[in-house]
Amino acid sequence: MTRPRVVIAGLGDSGLLTAIHLSRHADVVGISTRPGLVSGKELGTRLTQPDEWARDNWIAFDRYRRLDRVRTAHGTLTGVDLSGRCVQGVGADGSAFEESYDVLVISTGVTNGFWRPPGLLSADAVAGALAADHARLAGAASIAVVGGGPAAVSSALNAAVTWPDAQVDLFFPGDRPLPRYHPRAARTLLRRLIELGVGVHPGHRAVVPDGFDCDQITDEPVTWSTGQSPHTADAVLWTIGRVRPNTSWLPAELLDEDGFVVVEPSLRVPGHAGVFAVGDVAATDPLRTSARNRADKLLARNIRASLKGGRLRDYKPRREQWGSVVGVQPNGLEVFAPNGRAYRFPAWTIRGLLQGLIVRRGMYRGVRD
């Protein structure tokens, strides 16, 4: 019998894991604007330790053993024929292509700041961006981080650790950073920022210049709608969470008013039995948490069940954000539970146990050196 054909649109963190889960059960085609996994996670270590970050977060697709049965295409999607069950796109070489499907998984993610740009990127472009962003901060005597989420806290803390002679300041609009994390986790990291000498500035809401998409590291003075004096730094990181879904190739009938893909609790798109969505692009809940909460495994199970006429299970989002915030530090990796308590992996466990056994072998089912 012919195996079902699953097209996965977007091979970021969620799309890649979904492809791995399905690779032994279907003919899987993955379409990606990147030549490998270029994770959007761990912005702070990406900026301050780009080589170490790339080792674990920028990995060519042919290194994943479970993708040996998956055909990957490097290109940009331009449309979908829902009734004819095929997607259209343009490859990296400029040629048009079509891919038919029995099941379509939409996992094209979001555009967010300078570290998650839209469009097609080559390996050289990825490497160039990593090097340029690192060099820009390494040469700065003062760094301002605008935003209060995990990307902002991670950037400020890692910059202070890596360049202790630089003046690092963190500006955020609320009373504390990490408003979507448990207060205990926020207090722990706020205390650490202060110990490192980071200037912490609550109650500062930045005015985004007209026409600026927060997609560059700037050096212009930052002004505030909350009335404070403008602030100038050699490098300003805009990490304010201004995300835009990568859904311009999809018809409006699949999207909510903000452009995210509407899904049922099972991650299926309403009215389209063979279409699912997962990751930052899927409107699962107000925080769109299916990527952070590892819904990829549930999605793969539901796809297999749908092909057999079985019952689909529901994704149940967590109320609090959780996980690592600042990445690997000299003393190890700290992971925050939903209740705000921290669990530390000692430094000696990171490469062999955590990355080697738990992540590469357990999560990804094998990654070649």
Side-chain angles (χ1 to χ4, degrees):
M1 295 180 62
T2 302
R3 298 207 306 172
R5 197 161 198 255
V6 179
V7 169
I8 299 180
L11 290 177
D13 295 292
S14 295
L16 173 66
L17 286 164
T18 303
I20 286 172
H21 298 319
L22 293 173
S23 62
R24 293 185 175 181
H25 307 283
D27 290 331
V28 180
V29 178
I31 303 169
S32 174
T33 58
R34 277 43 170 172
L37 173 67
V38 183
S39 177
K41 299 183 296 186
E42 310 288 8
L43 177 60
T45 53
R46 171 179 171 146
L47 292 169
T48 59
Q49 306 168 55
D51 293 337
E52 289 79 1
W53 179 89
R55 181 175 56 201
D56 299 322
N57 296 284
W58 176 26
I59 301 174
F61 293 133
D62 60 7
R63 291 177 56 196
Y64 293 95
R65 296 185 185 277
R66 281 289 184 90
L67 293 189
D68 289 349
R69 303 183 185 187
V70 174
R71 179 164 61 85
T72 59
H74 187 196
T76 303
L77 289 162
T78 57
V80 58
D81 180 353
L82 294 169
S83 59
R85 295 201 170 204
C86 71
V87 296
Q88 303 91 34
V90 177
D93 61 358
S95 61
F97 66 81
E98 284 192 355
E99 294 286 352
S100 61
Y101 64 82
D102 295 303
V103 173
L104 172 64
V105 176
I106 302 168
S107 55
T108 43
V110 297
T111 293
N112 185 12
F114 58 90
W115 68 98
R116 298 176 78 177
L120 198 72
L121 290 182
S122 66
D124 288 343
V126 174
L130 288 175
D133 293 341
H134 173 74
R136 179 70 184 275
L137 293 194
S142 56
I143 300 169
V145 183
V146 182
V153 171
S154 176
S155 298
L157 188 144
N158 279 283
V161 169
T162 305
W163 300 295
D165 293 334
Q167 175 58 46
V168 180
D169 291 276
L170 175 65
F171 300 88
F172 48 93
D175 296 329
R176 65 172 176 90
L178 302 175
R180 292 172 178 171
Y181 282 73
H182 193 281
R184 185 183 291 113
R187 287 195 299 269
T188 297
L189 288 169
L190 181 60
R191 182 171 59 250
R192 197 160 302 153
L193 287 167
I194 294 172
E195 291 171 352
L196 288 167
V198 175
V200 176
H201 307 276
H204 284 65
R205 185 174 296 277
V207 176
V208 179
D210 292 338
F212 179 52
D213 289 331
C214 302
D215 56 354
Q216 301 176 44
I217 300 174
T218 63
D219 57 9
E220 299 295 324
V222 182
T223 58
W224 315 100
S225 63
T226 40
Q228 297 87 353
S229 299
H231 182 85
T232 302
D234 295 333
V236 179
L237 304 182
W238 294 82
T239 54
I240 60 175
R242 179 170 285 192
V243 301
R244 301 190 305 278
N246 297 323
T247 54
S248 61
W249 61 284
L250 292 171
E253 66 186 88
L254 302 188
L255 310 177
D256 67 11
E257 61 183 10
D258 297 316
F260 295 91
V261 181
V262 176
V263 291
E264 299 169 349
S266 64
L267 302 179
R268 185 167 58 185
V269 175
H272 300 277
V275 183
F276 295 79
V278 70
D280 294 332
V281 77
T284 52
D285 57 280
L287 301 182
R288 299 181 299 278
T289 60
S290 65
R292 289 185 292 274
N293 289 332
R294 289 296 314 279
D296 48 87
K297 197 167 185 178
L298 171 70
L299 172 60
R301 183 216 170 273
N302 280 352
I303 289 172
R304 293 177 63 193
S306 72
L307 291 169
K308 297 177 181 178
R311 183 178 66 87
L312 307 190
R313 296 179 181 176
D314 289 349
Y315 167 69
K316 299 177 181 178
R318 296 177 183 268
R319 293 184 178 180
E320 301 280 358
Q321 287 188 343
W322 64 284
S324 168
V325 176
V326 300
V328 178
Q329 299 299 305
N331 61 350
L333 176 70
E334 196 168 48
V335 177
F336 291 94
N339 64 5
R341 298 192 182 278
Y343 299 88
R344 183 179 301 280
F345 290 86
W348 65 268
T349 68
I350 301 301
R351 298 267 23 108
L353 177 62
L354 181 60
Q355 286 297 338
L357 185 61
I358 298 177
V359 176
R360 295 197 173 197
R361 186 173 299 180
M363 183 185 300
Y364 291 115
R365 299 293 189 257
V367 181
R368 298 180 179 93
D369 291 335

